[in-house]
Amino acid sequence: MRDALLGSGAVAWAQKYRNALASEVVAAVAKVMTSEELSTVARTLFNPLARSAIGSAQHFGSRIQPNSPGDDEEEILFSILEGLSYGCGDVILGLNPAADDLDTIVRLEQLLEQVVRCLDLPTRYCVLSDIVKQHEARTRTQVDVGFQSLAGTSRALTGMVGMDVDGVLDLARAFDGLYFETGQGSEVTNGTADGVDMGTLEARSYGVARHIEQQSSSRWMIVNDVAGFIGPEVFRDADQLERVCLEDMVMAKLHGLTMGLDVCATFHLGIAPQALRRLTARVVSNAAPAYLMSVAGNADPMLGYLTTSFREHPQLRSLVGRDMTIPMRRRLTDLGVLSQDRKVAPGPDNVARLYAAYAKAGGDRRTLSLLEDDGRDRLQTLRARGFDLGVANPVESDTRLEAIYAHARDALYAGVDEGVIRDAATRPIRVQTVATSREQYLAHPAAGESLRDDDARAIGALYPTRSPHVQLVISDGLNANAVNEHLRMLLPELRHALSRDYHVGGTDIVVQNGRVRAGYEIGGLVKAAIVVHIIGERPGTGLNTLSAYLTYGHDENGLPRWSRGLDHAATTAVCGIHPKGKRPETACVEIARVVRRITEQRRSGVALT
């Protein structure tokens, strides 16, 4: 099979046999190829979308990822406009919502639809929630593209979305367009790999995508491989990340998929920004993805990871001699973003011009001159708030990015301050997981999911007569500085709000080197109905952010289900807690509201309605 793919008839061979190739076979052939051989195959095989140049040998596109920590519509809008000014966004506008409730999803779908309609953009749009919530959102608004993360085992997929392949396929049939995301390592980190290696599991994910494409009525389907998003527990260094990008592109192309890459790195992976840029250029040249991610300023302002910036894309297109789609180039030329000689001229003036066109099409009656002035003012306000938008001098952006990188590396190795716990917590007990160092914690997630035996016994003895309805747990997670900054504002008010209606455990449990699943173990030890686990989230935005994970500890028959192996699909997350996003006082109200819903429905996670 390797010889056939490296021979002169590779294209015809792949087109003839690709639907008959088992995913495990595709994974096997990728393993026995050198990186140079993988590159040869990747630059030979292309799977363009029907009636589109996307994914063809002449095309290299991008997804604009306009994320906002607080789902702020102005931040999202100007991130899109900035991306367009660099010629990005021809494949899709794909937004990750900070909040995953139905009202937010509907609001953001409507915002993206309005941007595409007002600017008459020849692209598609998607709010990357999950296909269940998007299916619900279709009853209230237009949903252009359905989204779902995929996995290589049934346990992993069910843990993500609460259903297996047939259930996802049933919902997928309702969408004209589909967008799937994959990425090596998700099954391993969630304990659902079932003894199968990451490469084979990734190929199986592509097999799931191929199956859904063949069995659904979708006329448009793309896949995005988020390589490097998980961290050092998956890839040890940049060389492994580069190799995986090559393997994944070949495996996807052999499945007949149109796939792009998010060549990215978490801050705890330890790949510096400049090194990632060089790696990205090599991957674009050697792996020939259909498209690449694009964000403002390399560091995603919500997800906290490094990826490809808007400003890199013009150079990457020139490097590989492939271009955005012709319809997008024509439209951006008409909007004045691109010159007739196909050059981009990004900067505040172009963003302001796009804002004026958008506002005018939306019914604003001011003159274009006044609208452009308004756009510049709004852009300047966003820059002052820390967004890497409208920056003409790349040195300024590089300086900002290096500061974010240093901030994140510091946060990863910080500890929870004893004074913060003394001020915020009620009768706190400090416990540790079996992770004996931060290096072990970062590289081996399971070590942060299990308590030391002595600490587990101490927690089990906390409530000899009456188990709590709600148990509060605090972990450092990946950012103890977030706990140090915000716990005083969050925890006392949250305890007060919950104690009005529920019996809250009288001891707050503080976990060193703790991950989300440590909360599941604690729930079982104290026999709580609900655990509210406050944890420092992954750094990388320049902000220190908390999240709260709320989990109900009984199954549909009322029997305890607490265990470290509990699927994360059983947990409801309230994310983005910090003064510039979801303020702690606002988060308290939302957490209390979710606890009430969990109590009434006796369920949490994807089962919670």
Side-chain angles (χ1 to χ4, degrees), residues 47 53 98 113 252-253 261 270 276 345 452 455 462 537-538 548 560:
N47 301 313
E113 189 274 335
K253 290 184 176 188
L261 288 173
L276 185 65
R452 297 188 309 178
D455 289 334
L462 280 177
E537 284 290 8
R538 185 166 66 185

Side-chain angles (χ1 to χ4, degrees), residues 420 424 482-494 546 578-579 583-585 588:
V420 171
V483 177
N484 295 335
E485 281 191 21
H486 310 314
L487 196 68
R488 289 186 179 100
M489 293 181 287
L490 177 68
L491 189 60
E493 186 172 342
L494 178 60
L546 289 174
H578 60 90
R583 298 181 63 83
E585 58 269 28
C588 283

